[in-house]
Amino acid sequence: MTTASTLGRIVRGSGPGLLLAHGATGSIDGNYGPILDGLAERYKVVGPDYPGSGRTPRAEEPLQLDRLADELVAAAVEEGLDTFAIAGYSLGTPVALRAASRHPERVTALVLTAGFARPNARLRLLSEDWLRHLRSGDEEALARWAVLNGAGAPFVDRMTADELAATVAGARDSVPPGAVEQVELVGSVDVREDLGRVRVPTLVISTAVDSMVTPYHHREVADGIPGAEFAELPSGHLPFVEAPAEWLGLIRKFLDAHVENQAGTVTSR
């Protein structure tokens, strides 16, 4: 490993290594915050923020998948992890798959939630519309679009007017500086060739009522990975909001079965 990581990160817990890869326009705190304590109870968790999110300054150039994957792996190694599982959410799925493809000696297992291998016609249209909203300067319209497309319909259907207003306000206030570069990456990745190279235990978690990254994509990822397990979560694209306890349970059950005997740490760098 020669790449140094420029990514700000959170490090929590002890035990087998677990590297987190978050979604586009998200962050480690935003996407994994509600389950971070539960993960850190059993694993040493390293959570790097992408450029322009959380603890990491915005990039001065477009994001490249290979470099982002390498920097995530480098962050884990810099924090003393020799081997580790990777949990990837949304855009974190292709990031995790590329990391496993480029660094197979490091990666022990994969948990891929609400993910995709490449943008099909519908996801490309959605990402282009997302970029249009991001570049428009209309923060209210962007926030309303994000709620309608991100949260599952059953979750939004149950909201009161006050809850909906608070959710839209939260979406408006949480757009990171690097949102455009991250959504541009959504529209350009293609890791279909990486799927067949995976040789570690893998769980694909399908957010079953997801209208942003639909179950079509989750199944494509699972079908392309030899021996991948598949589980459904009753959630839209925001499992950390809609079903955090169930999401944490699926991740921990799978990792406990596959990495509990791996030390995942080294004593020196």
Side-chain angles (χ1 to χ4, degrees):
M1 173 68 62
T2 57
T3 299
S5 181
T6 63
L7 304 179
R9 69 205 67 155
I10 188 169
V11 182
R12 294 274 302 279
S14 62
L18 176 60
L19 176 62
L20 304 180
H22 67 74
T25 78
S27 66
I28 292 300
D29 296 284
N31 292 168
Y32 290 99
I35 68 170
L36 200 55
D37 287 345
L39 295 174
E41 285 177 359
R42 302 190 185 189
Y43 312 102
K44 180 173 181 179
V45 180
V46 177
D49 289 310
Y50 301 161
S53 281
R55 301 159 184 82
T56 306
R58 187 176 185 178
E60 296 181 358
E61 55 189 21
L63 300 182
Q64 300 294 328
L65 183 61
D66 285 357
R67 180 169 179 80
L68 187 56
D70 288 350
E71 288 212 43
L72 255 73
V73 170
V77 174
E78 289 167 6
E79 297 302 332
L81 295 179
D82 185 31
T83 60
F84 40 84
I86 307 179
Y89 160 72
S90 192
L91 176 62
T93 286
V95 174
L97 286 163
R98 183 56 53 87
S101 179
R102 288 172 66 83
H103 306 277
E105 75 286 358
R106 300 283 190 192
V107 181
T108 60
L110 294 171
V111 179
L112 309 172
T113 302
F116 59 98
R118 47 92 196 196
N120 63 357
R122 183 184 183 280
L123 184 53
R124 186 172 293 108
L125 180 64
L126 184 142
S127 65
E128 290 170 354
D129 201 39
W130 197 356
L131 286 169
R132 181 175 59 82
H133 278 289
L134 283 166
R135 290 167 172 152
S136 72
D138 188 336
E139 296 179 354
E140 183 69 16
L142 171 63
R144 295 169 70 89
W145 181 93
V147 172
L148 281 170
N149 286 279
F155 184 72
V156 179
D157 284 340
R158 293 190 295 267
M159 287 182 179
T160 66
D162 288 344
E163 288 170 339
L164 178 60
T167 301
V168 170
R172 184 179 61 241
D173 296 339
S174 63
V175 180
V180 167
E181 292 85 8
Q182 293 173 24
V183 176
E184 285 177 337
L185 187 59
V186 169
S188 66
V189 299
D190 189 341
V191 295
R192 284 175 290 179
E193 291 187 2
D194 299 76
L195 296 173
R197 300 185 183 122
V198 174
R199 294 294 182 268
V200 295
T202 300
L203 172 64
V204 175
I205 300 176
S206 174
T207 37
V209 290
D210 195 332
S211 60
M212 180 169 272
V213 180
T214 62
Y216 170 93
H217 290 281
H218 317 153
R219 180 55 71 181
E220 181 177 52
V221 170
D223 288 348
I225 297 174
E229 298 182 30
F230 188 84
E232 291 186 332
L233 190 65
S235 170
H237 196 65
L238 311 177
F240 42 89
V241 174
E242 301 175 54
E246 296 88 342
W247 189 31
L248 174 62
L250 287 172
I251 295 172
R252 292 209 325 187
K253 180 179 179 181
F254 179 79
L255 291 181
D256 286 352
H258 292 286
V259 304
E260 62 182 357
N261 295 321
Q262 297 168 6
T265 60
V266 291
T267 57
S268 62
R269 296 181 188 173

